[in-house]
Amino acid sequence: METKYSAPKGMKDYLYPESFEMERIYSTASEVLEIHGYKKIETPVLEKAELFYRGVGEDTDIVKKEMYSFKDKDGELLCLRPEGTAPVIRAYLENRLDGLGLPLKLYYSGPMFRRERPQAGRSREFHQVGAEAIGSDDPLLDAEVISLSCLIFEKLGLRDFKLLINSVGCSNCRHSYTGKLKKFIDGIEGDLCVDCRARKKTNPLRVLDCKRGSCMEALKDAPVIRNFLCDDCERHINKVIEALRDMEITFEENERLVRGIDYYTRTAFEFVFEGLGAKNTVSAGGRYDDLAETLGGPRTPAVGFSLGLERLMLAQRKAHASSVSSRTLDVFVATVGPDAREFAFSLLRMLRRSGISADIDYLSRSLKSQMKHADRLGAKLVVIAGGEEQEKGEVVLRELETSTQETVSVDSLPHSVKSLLSGSVCDV
C-alpha cells in the first residue's frame, strides 16, 4: 500500500522487535546506573538555542551545521536538543541542585537531533543514554564513569569493544599546545579539508577530530597534547589510568583522541566497536570542569558520558548478541464456537491477572486461522476453549513449538502455564 506520508529523512519508526531491543538497552543501562547511585532526570526535547551556542561551542559542527533551530511565535530562538550534557547542567544550575549534596549523579535517556547525512549508525533523530557526575574533580570518579559503559556492554553480552583514552588538558596547558598546533597546521593547511581550515581559526584542537583520511594522514606528525600537560593534568590522567588498571579495565592511550565539543577538559574517552564502519564509536565522554561556569554558574567540576542506542544495536547484531526472540507472547486463547467467547475471555483475564502475557482473537476467525495468528504473534502456548471444555471445567493447553498438548482444569490453568513456560523448549 502506497502512502503520500512518510517519516522525515534521517528519522524512522521503531517497530518490533527493534523497539524491544531499544527498551532492553534502556532497562539494562538504567539498572547499572542506579546501582552506582545515579538518579533519573528528564530535560525538555526543546531548549533555547543559546544554551548550545554557549555550552557546546558556536563554531562546532553541531551548532553551525546540524542543529534544528527555529523561532517560535514570540520570536525566541529554540532548537531540538542535539546532545544531553548541556541541558543537564542547565537544569542543575536552574534548579539549584547543588543543594542536594555533591557530587550529584544524574542520568538521562531519550532522543537527540542533528541534521547530519544519514548513514549506518547515524540518523537525524538518534537515542542516547547518558550520565553526569557533577561536583567533584576526583579522578576516581572519571574511572567510575568510564566503567559504566563496560558494565552495560557486558550485561548486554558484548565483549568485543576497545576503550580509547586521552587527556585534552585544561585551559592553562592547552594554551601553549594550541600555539604549537597552529604552527604545524600552517605548514599542512593545503592538505586539509575546508572544514579543518575553518576549525584552525576557531578551535585548532578539533582539527584532530576530523575523520577524513586525507586530513588524518596530513596530521599524523602533529604535536600531541600529552607532551604539553601541566603538572595537575598529568597527575590527573595518571590517576585515572591507575584506577582503570586496578579495575582490570583494558584500554589504549590514544594521544590524538579529542572530542568534537568545546566543553571537554582533561579526561576524554571513547568506546569503539569493530565492523560498524566509519561511525564505530558507541559510547564516549569525558570531563568538562568549565561548562557550568560557561553557562553562568559557579565553576563546578563534572564528568560524564553518553551511549548511542542505534550504534549499540548495530554492535549487538554484528555480535549476534541480541536476545530478542520471535516468540514473545506467553499464551494465545483460541475460541471454538461463538458460544464460548465469554468463557474464553474470562480465561484471558485470569491469565493476565497471574502475570502471564496473553491475547485472544477479536475477528471471529476459525480455529485454524486462530492458530496461525497465534504463531504470527509469537505465542509459546495456546489455550483452546470451547463449549465442551466449559462444561467440563477444563481446557486444552498446546505448545506451538512441539505441537504437544494436554488437558488441564481451569482452576490449575495459571499454574500449568507457568510450569510449561519455565521448562518450555521455546522459552526466552
Side-chain angles (χ1 to χ4, degrees), residues 201-219:
K201 300 174 183 178
T202 55
N203 186 344
L205 208 63
R206 279 194 283 113
V207 174
L208 301 176
D209 195 43
C210 185
K211 300 299 188 288
R212 298 193 186 196
S214 58
C215 292
M216 293 171 71
E217 177 65 22
L219 290 161

Side-chain angles (χ1 to χ4, degrees), residues 25 63 89 102 104 166 168 181 273 288 300 344 374:
I25 294 171
V63 171
I89 297 301
L102 299 177
L104 181 65
N166 192 26
V168 295
L181 183 60
F273 283 75
Y288 48 95
T300 308

Side-chain angles (χ1 to χ4, degrees), residues 143-193:
E144 175 186 285
V145 166
I146 292 170
S147 73
L148 295 172
S149 291
C150 293
L151 293 169
I152 293 168
F153 297 153
E154 289 169 6
K155 275 188 167 288
L156 292 170
L158 292 167
R159 299 288 185 273
D160 189 22
F161 55 85
K162 183 187 297 183
L163 167 60
L164 307 177
I165 186 169
N166 192 26
S167 175
V168 295
C170 63
S171 57
N172 292 329
C173 52
R174 259 206 312 262
H175 180 72
S176 58
Y177 171 66
T178 300
K180 290 283 187 181
L181 183 60
K182 277 183 177 180
K183 287 182 180 179
F184 177 85
I185 293 173
D186 285 340
I188 62 163
E189 190 165 356
D191 298 323
L192 299 179
C193 67

Side-chain angles (χ1 to χ4, degrees), residues 65 189 191-200 212 215:
K65 300 179 181 180
E189 190 165 356
D191 298 323
L192 299 179
C193 67
V194 174
D195 289 338
C196 282
R197 293 173 198 168
R199 290 171 185 142
K200 173 205 163 186
R212 298 193 186 196
C215 292

Side-chain angles (χ1 to χ4, degrees), residues 66-126:
E66 298 167 2
M67 282 206 318
Y68 284 95
S69 56
F70 59 93
K71 288 186 178 180
D72 68 3
K73 291 182 178 180
D74 295 326
E76 186 170 42
L77 187 61
L78 303 175
C79 71
L80 294 171
R81 62 186 181 194
E83 61 95 48
T85 299
V88 170
I89 297 301
R90 188 267 310 149
Y92 167 81
L93 295 173
E94 181 178 354
N95 295 283
R96 300 182 179 180
L97 298 182
D98 57 319
L100 298 177
L102 299 177
L104 181 65
K105 294 180 174 182
L106 303 172
Y107 80 94
Y108 60 87
S109 61
M112 310 291 163
F113 303 85
R114 296 183 193 175
R115 197 181 187 283
E116 300 182 286
R117 182 171 65 86
Q119 54 185 287
R122 172 188 273 184
S123 52
R124 293 180 173 180
E125 179 188 27
F126 56 99

Side-chain angles (χ1 to χ4, degrees), residues 139 229-241:
L229 295 182
C230 64
D231 290 343
D232 286 344
C233 287
E234 184 69 33
R235 280 193 293 270
H236 187 93
I237 189 63
N238 287 338
K239 287 181 180 179
V240 174
I241 287 171

